[in-house]
Amino acid sequence: MKLSQYLVKKLTEYGVTDVFGIPGGVILEFIYELDKSESINVHLSYHEQAAAYAACGYAQSLGKLGVAYATKGPGVTNMITAIAEAYCDSLPVLFVTAHSQRNLTPGLRIEEEQEIDHMALAASITKYQKRVDTEEEALEAIVIGCREAMSGRKGPVLLDFADKILKKEVEISNRDTWPDCPGNAEEEVGKCLGDIKNTLGQSKRPILLIGDGVRLSGAEKEIAKTAERFNIPILSSRISQDLLSGCPHYFGYIGSHGLRYSNFILSKTDCIISLGNRLAFRTDSESFNPVTKHAKIIRVDIDGSELNRMIPNSVCFCADIKKISEKLATEELGYEDQGWLDICNVLKEELKSFDINPGVTLLSNLIEMLHQDEAIVCDIGNNELIASRAYAISGNGRKLLHSKAFKTVGSAIGKAIGVYYACKKRVLCIAGDQGFQFNIQELQYISQNQLPIVMVICNNSASGMLKDSEYRQGYKYHLHTTTCSGYGHPNFEKIAKAYGISYMFVRSSEEKAFAFSEDGPLIIELAFGEECEVQQHLPKGNPCQMFVPEINEELYEYLDKL
């Protein structure tokens, strides 16, 4: 068979059903072979960045291999930001590109039009990258590339094929025999489990702290079972709050924009079992240092490089979270709850109604309209913080996906397209008025294909998060963040009309019942006033549980002494 046929065959074996990209002359052989496939649909995006984001959303939604393609040169450079997104967020995405230049001459800026060294661009943001110039190299690279994307700590792979070899006939017998990626030793799992047992036996107030590594490992059920067997509360990072939101032992997300009751619980713990959580706060943080000094920390991550970050009072295990969680869910751990869970419930009950503004209420009403198997995709900005708070009061069971570590503004629309094709369910896409404009051209794709994506624009007529940063850093005036200082946005109703998409306008001050169809796209513009500004934050130097606006002093002292 032809090499292009073999590549499509491997994608089919990995369960790929949808591929995203924009054609170019050097990649046509691959696209035409995709078009012949009965099990894979190929989608024409309107910008390579959005195509790559769609592949990221597809991969992030179900943990499946996502695939995006682009032509040489500018096609590849347009994908670079999304490749970095996949790398930082550990998303298994295969990026397929091609070239026609036989050799790259070192030191020569340009030898042929559109030809550059794609590998040099992607080397630091991919798990594996390969410029493929021969059939033998290609057969090996396809097997290793797909395996690397999906194994261990997942991540992106870039394969850049010489266009001429895609049409070549290849012999494929025994081509899956290249060495497997190294696995995690059972010995490390045993050591980790033993240390957890010993630590829990001495603990009075333990927590399970989960991160998105739990999503990647698929260990949610086992962790919930462990928490319920031993009455151990669960906390999470903000971007992982959907994983166990329906578990009665889940107590929200921590961080500088966390939930007040979650940070209060964190401040009181004496044992943190961290599962796939990077513990990303600064190690010299005055807010979180007291926590790390007081609590024994056990860190479990499949990526040993993450454990190189020095966290005080911690022991580290490079192990598969799924294997650890399966053991925790079935073995005796030597811990008996003596009222710790009751304290957590008191903290949640006393503080759960704080930091709710009209914008939070509006978004929570929208989230509640979704079915349990439908998904939410968030962009970056204050809209994301408002959406996170709204989800905390309304979103149990629904999938909530963020741009996690790389935090790419404008990723949401492309990702929402990929999430739809992964799940074939309605998607709620939440963005700010600024981020919505970054990949606005994909509205053509959504409209043309009548995708059931409800796009919510949280419009405060500002670059809100940066505007807040200007204020907190002491600048005396706004610059490029308000309509009076250089920022602006279009008439979104006219944008919706131009693309043939239904439109709804709601002010945050209004109480309006929402109703939207499960078929076809919709744009909802939520006009946010000052009452919807994100005021809650953790000032530098405050204890991690002391947010502003501050709560009643008497209530704070009561909760702090529990």
Side-chain angles (χ1 to χ4, degrees), residues 310-435:
M310 301 302 295
I311 304 293
N313 206 23
S314 67
V315 292
C316 303
F317 296 94
C318 182
D320 189 328
I321 295 169
K322 180 75 170 180
K323 293 179 180 178
I324 294 292
S325 300
E326 288 172 347
K327 296 284 188 181
L328 292 176
T330 56
E331 298 194 13
E332 292 301 320
L333 300 180
Y335 170 74
E336 294 183 5
D337 174 45
Q338 298 178 350
W340 172 223
L341 201 67
D342 292 336
I343 291 174
C344 294
N345 280 313
V346 169
L347 289 166
K348 182 175 182 178
E349 187 61 30
E350 291 287 348
L351 296 172
K352 66 182 182 181
S353 61
F354 282 81
D355 309 311
I356 296 175
N357 60 41
V360 170
T361 302
L362 277 170
L363 283 179
S364 68
N365 291 339
L366 280 171
I367 291 171
E368 287 174 356
M369 292 180 63
L370 296 176
H371 300 308
Q372 291 295 306
D373 57 355
E374 295 174 337
I376 306 157
V377 179
C378 284
D379 210 88
I380 296 299
N382 280 350
N383 62 89
E384 180 189 21
L385 301 180
I386 294 171
S388 295
R389 187 66 188 91
Y391 185 94
I393 59 176
S394 63
N396 288 354
R398 300 169 182 89
K399 188 172 294 183
L400 178 65
L401 302 177
H402 299 263
S403 173
K404 298 176 287 187
F406 205 52
K407 299 189 179 302
T408 48
V409 178
S411 62
I413 292 179
K415 278 192 172 184
I417 292 171
V419 171
Y420 168 74
Y421 282 110
C423 303
K424 297 296 172 65
K425 301 288 184 180
R426 182 173 54 184
V427 179
L428 183 66
C429 175
I430 301 172
D433 48 290
Q434 185 176 40

Side-chain angles (χ1 to χ4, degrees), residues 44-47 50 410 412-414 416-417 429 431 435-451 453-457 490-503 520-524:
L44 172 65
S45 302
Y46 286 87
H47 193 287
I413 292 179
I417 292 171
C429 175
F436 190 79
Q437 298 180 67
F438 274 47
N439 277 293
I440 201 169
Q441 75 285 336
E442 298 310 308
L443 293 182
Q444 176 59 33
Y445 184 90
I446 292 171
S447 174
Q448 182 175 317
N449 295 278
Q450 283 297 289
L451 301 189
I453 298 178
V454 178
M455 293 159 280
V456 178
I457 304 171
N491 183 315
F492 290 114
E493 182 176 10
K494 291 183 179 179
I495 292 290
K497 184 177 181 180
Y499 283 104
I501 297 175
S502 298
Y503 170 86
L522 170 66
I523 291 176
I524 301 176

